[in-house]
């Protein structure tokens, strides 16, 4: 009886463990996302990649539309060419002009559309679409880019739901770019200039030392040459004196 109860408990435990493993093993559906190449600091510029996976087994992704945030317009938006895809940049007039490098900008990019020239993103693959963005806003911690993915079978998936803090991720979350704290490049430049100045001073000191050493070596060589010539002259004079003395004795 005891053995039967133990066997039942073991069986139940195995069943629960098996169900847990299956639940954990079910892969989460991939979605369109955005990540910076390096950092995306407030007030700075960044290159970001929109990663687009193909979630279908019987169709390819042939089009991607990325809508830029209207509440935080960006003055500079430049796409990087992607082989096999054509790109269209859509601009719109701004209600409130932006100021960039002292100039007012009355329009900004509001949408970027990539369209496949061939098969597109086939099942089992993903593609990255890079964008250069700036200047990034300083009054928010994130930028939300609503995206629309179109498949070769005309199916359209809208990644437009804005994730909310403290809530579960929505079914079709919009790509969200987290912004890091602003950096002060001037400090870095000053430090680099200081290092360059110190390096230059060290180089100058080293050059001066080498020149002094060269001068010292040159002086030593000159002295040796003078002494050698003097020695030769004295030797010749000694030989001449000996010859003259010998002639006098013979006479």
């Amino acid at each position: 009886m005891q053995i039967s109860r133990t066997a039942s408990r073991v069986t139940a435990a195995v069943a629960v463990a098996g169900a847990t493993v299956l639940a954990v093993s079910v892969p989460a559906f991939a979605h369109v996302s955005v990540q910076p190449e390096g950092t995306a600091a407030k007030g700075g510029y960044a290159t970001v990649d929109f990663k687009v996976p193909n979630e279908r087994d019987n169709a390819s992704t042939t089009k991607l539309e990325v809508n830029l945030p209207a509440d935080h317009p960006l003055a500079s938006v430049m796409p990087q060419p992607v082989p096999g895809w054509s790109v269209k940049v859509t601009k719109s007039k701004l209600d409130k002009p932006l100021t960039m490098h002292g100039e007012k900008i009355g329009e900004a990019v509001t949408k970027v559309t990539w369209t496949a020239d061939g098969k597109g993103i086939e099942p089992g693959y993903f593609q990255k679409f890079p964008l250069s963005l700036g200047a990034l806003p300083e009054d928010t911690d994130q930028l939300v880019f609503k995206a629309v993915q179109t498949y070769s079978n005309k199916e359209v998936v809208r990644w437009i739901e804005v994730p909310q803090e403290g809530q579960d991720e929505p079914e079709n979350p919009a790509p969200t770019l987290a912004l890091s704290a602003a950096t002060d490049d001037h400090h870095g430049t000053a430090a680099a200039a200081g290092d360059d100045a110190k390096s230059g001073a060290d180089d100058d000191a080293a050059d001066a030392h080498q020149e002094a050493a060269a001068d010292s070596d040159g002086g030593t060589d000159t002295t040796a040459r003078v002494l050698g010539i003097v020695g030769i002259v004295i030797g010749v004079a000694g030989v001449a004196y000996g010859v003259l003395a010998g002639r006098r004795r013979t006479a």
Side-chain angles (χ1 to χ4, degrees):
M1 189 69 171
Q2 186 66 25
I3 295 176
S4 177
R5 290 179 180 176
T6 302
S8 299
R9 292 175 181 175
V10 172
T11 301
V14 170
V16 172
T20 302
V21 170
L22 288 175
V24 173
S25 300
V26 174
F29 288 107
H31 52 77
V32 176
S33 60
V34 59
Q35 290 293 333
E37 294 181 4
T39 59
K42 298 178 181 179
Y45 288 77
T47 297
V48 301
D49 294 326
F50 288 89
K51 182 179 179 181
V52 182
N54 192 333
E55 298 181 309
R56 302 296 181 264
D57 296 329
N58 57 354
S60 298
T61 296
T62 56
K63 186 178 180 180
L64 172 69
E65 299 175 53
V66 173
N67 295 277
L68 280 75
D71 55 343
H72 292 96
L74 301 171
S76 177
V77 178
M78 292 186 294
Q80 178 178 323
V82 178
W85 295 77
S86 59
V87 61
K88 178 183 177 182
V89 176
T90 302
K91 293 184 178 181
S92 301
K93 290 184 178 180
L94 299 174
D95 295 333
K96 183 179 179 181
L98 297 174
T99 301
M100 183 177 181
H101 303 301
E103 298 182 1
K104 288 187 177 181
I105 300 175
E107 63 177 12
V109 176
T110 53
K111 183 170 67 173
V112 180
T113 305
W114 288 271
T115 304
D117 296 329
K119 295 182 179 179
I121 308 173
E122 298 184 80
Y125 291 88
F126 72 91
Q127 177 68 55
K128 289 183 178 180
F129 298 89
L131 279 183
S132 174
L133 306 176
L136 299 175
E138 300 183 27
D139 58 349
T140 183
D141 294 327
Q142 65 180 22
L143 291 177
V144 178
F145 301 86
K146 295 183 179 181
V148 179
Q149 182 179 12
T150 303
Y151 287 89
S152 57
N153 60 1
K154 307 304 180 181
E155 179 186 2
V156 176
V157 181
R158 303 181 184 278
W159 305 97
I160 60 175
E161 299 179 60
V162 181
Q164 301 296 328
E165 186 176 356
Q167 298 182 11
D168 294 337
E169 185 179 70
E171 184 177 355
N172 294 316
T176 303
L177 177 67
L179 303 180
S180 60
T183 58
D184 190 351
D185 293 334
H186 296 294
H187 291 301
T189 304
D195 292 340
D196 291 341
K198 182 178 182 299
S199 176
D202 292 342
D203 291 342
D204 292 341
D207 292 341
H209 178 73
Q210 292 176 356
E211 291 176 359
D215 293 342
S216 177
D217 293 342
T220 302
D221 292 343
T222 302
T223 302
R225 290 174 183 174
V226 172
L227 292 176
I229 294 173
V230 171
I232 293 173
V233 171
I234 294 175
V236 171
V239 171
Y241 178 79
V243 171
L244 291 174
R247 289 180 178 178
R248 287 177 182 176
R249 291 175 185 174
T250 303

